[in-house]
Amino acid sequence: MKQLQDVDLKLVRVFVAVVRHGGFSAAQAALNASQSTISEQMTTLETRLGLKLCERGRSGFRLTEHGHATYEAAQRLLLAVENFCMDTSVLAQRIAGRLQLGLIDNTVTDESSPILPALQRFLALGHDVQIDIYIGSPAELEARILDGRLHVAIGHFPLQVAGLDYVALYDEADGLFCGRGHPLHAAPDDGDALLELISTSRVVARAYMQERDLRLLKANMAAATVDNVEAQAILILSGAYIGFLPLHYAQRWVDSGRMRRLRARDLENRWPFSVVTRRSQAMPAVLRAFVDGLMGPGDS
């Protein structure tokens, strides 16, 4: 495209919706358009770009290499448009636009987390803001902030990435657990004997916490590696593995007898959660309002 026109922005939004829904047919409801109309719009966009973006036919919908690159660029473009709308809304003395928020999984049961109260305060102010929440691993969240697909992310980030700002927010406590059916579940709570069983048990760890978990357990390797808390809980509940879980998340299974917390006094840790934003970009008004409310209960 030699110059971006209004119609091109509309076509880009169609393309993003098609990719997110996995094809033309699946995107019909979201776009309120027929499959033939969407197909025509996609053909027009490919002509404007001079690129083949996707393969469609009996084999299903699939992005080409150019399609993948264009999708990433399209997400950055649409986020930039949202930032423009948010910045200009400040001139009209109102905060409006879209807030792209990233979180690590399964924090909602943590009563010490300030995330939900901050959202409640922010929304109670009557801002005309659409909030999109993406759940991902720390590495995914950092990558999405760097390339502009997220405004802000909250989670535990073991390594800090260049180009991002990290501000401490709160701590999350975790402990070591086994499931019902594991030999440790009914083992006597005797220090040395329990430690021996722990040292010979199969360990499941989140990839980004694996080094820490193995160090705490004095283990050489994990028998299973996962990328989120829910997958870790599933394997612990199977009775074949032990692993660390956030205390707030595991409590429901402890209460029902399906999990046992091991060596509570020795193996409880608190891990810092941070607010992460991109360093190189001026903070849009909607993001500033949300972060200010997140860091304290003052007015935004």
Side-chain angles (χ1 to χ4, degrees):
M1 289 183 286
K2 295 181 180 180
Q3 186 174 359
L4 189 68
Q5 304 290 340
D6 289 345
V7 65
D8 298 320
L9 191 58
K10 178 181 178 181
L11 294 175
V12 168
R13 292 186 188 279
V14 170
F15 171 57
V16 169
V18 168
V19 177
R20 286 178 176 172
H21 288 85
F24 295 5
S25 178
Q28 289 181 84
L31 294 172
N32 192 27
S34 67
Q35 188 169 341
S36 60
T37 297
I38 295 172
S39 179
E40 291 175 5
Q41 291 170 325
M42 285 291 295
T43 299
T44 301
L45 179 61
E46 289 178 322
T47 301
R48 292 282 289 159
L49 291 172
L51 298 171
K52 180 72 170 178
L53 299 179
C54 61
E55 304 289 349
R56 56 264 201 188
R58 293 186 178 181
S59 60
F61 176 83
R62 184 181 65 84
L63 286 177
T64 64
E65 183 178 348
H66 286 143
H68 282 290
T70 302
Y71 178 62
E72 299 296 328
Q75 291 183 97
R76 294 193 293 271
L77 169 64
L78 296 181
L79 186 59
V81 172
E82 291 293 338
N83 289 343
F84 171 81
C85 294
M86 289 186 288
D87 290 340
T88 55
S89 72
V90 177
L91 303 177
Q93 302 301 309
R94 67 187 180 90
I95 293 177
R98 177 176 293 178
L99 175 65
Q100 304 279 4
L101 170 63
L103 301 172
I104 65 170
D105 65 310
N106 291 299
T107 60
V108 69
T109 54
D110 190 353
E111 293 186 1
S112 67
S113 168
I115 298 171
L116 184 56
L119 281 170
Q120 291 171 331
R121 289 193 300 270
F122 180 75
L123 295 171
L125 294 173
H127 299 316
D128 184 18
V129 175
Q130 176 180 331
I131 298 179
D132 295 338
I133 297 179
Y134 176 83
I135 305 294
S137 69
E140 288 176 322
L141 299 181
E142 289 166 323
R144 284 174 174 262
I145 293 176
L146 282 171
D147 69 17
R149 286 178 287 168
L150 289 177
H151 288 115
V152 59
I154 301 167
H156 173 56
F157 300 92
L159 301 175
Q160 295 196 357
V161 175
L164 299 179
D165 285 325
Y166 298 78
V167 179
L169 183 61
Y170 73 105
D171 292 340
E172 181 184 70
D174 75 358
L176 183 65
F177 295 88
C178 71
R180 189 167 55 203
H182 192 282
L184 284 167
H185 193 270
D189 193 16
D190 175 80
D192 293 338
L194 196 61
L195 282 175
E196 179 63 26
L197 284 171
I198 288 174
S199 68
T200 58
S201 294
R202 288 187 289 182
V203 177
V204 56
R206 280 168 279 171
Y208 59 92
M209 303 284 275
Q210 180 173 318
E211 182 178 344
R212 179 218 71 163
D213 291 358
L214 295 178
R215 184 177 66 254
L216 289 172
L217 297 175
K218 297 180 173 59
N220 294 323
M221 62 179 296
T225 305
V226 296
D227 63 5
N228 61 72
V229 172
E230 185 171 3
Q232 193 169 16
I234 290 171
L235 289 181
I236 292 171
L237 286 166
S238 75
Y241 299 86
I242 63 172
F244 287 92
L245 290 173
L247 300 186
H248 63 85
Y249 182 73
Q251 190 60 48
R252 74 195 83 176
W253 294 299
V254 173
D255 292 341
S256 67
R258 297 185 64 195
M259 277 190 191
R260 177 187 174 185
R261 186 177 171 194
L262 303 169
R263 302 279 295 191
R265 288 176 297 177
D266 302 329
L267 293 172
E268 177 177 331
N269 303 280
R270 302 193 69 86
W271 304 106
F273 272 49
S274 300
V275 179
V276 183
T277 53
R278 191 164 63 175
R279 183 175 301 162
S280 60
Q281 183 179 19
M283 196 173 286
V286 65
L287 177 56
R288 170 54 61 193
F290 175 72
V291 170
D292 286 348
L294 186 65
M295 304 306 295
D299 292 337
S300 299

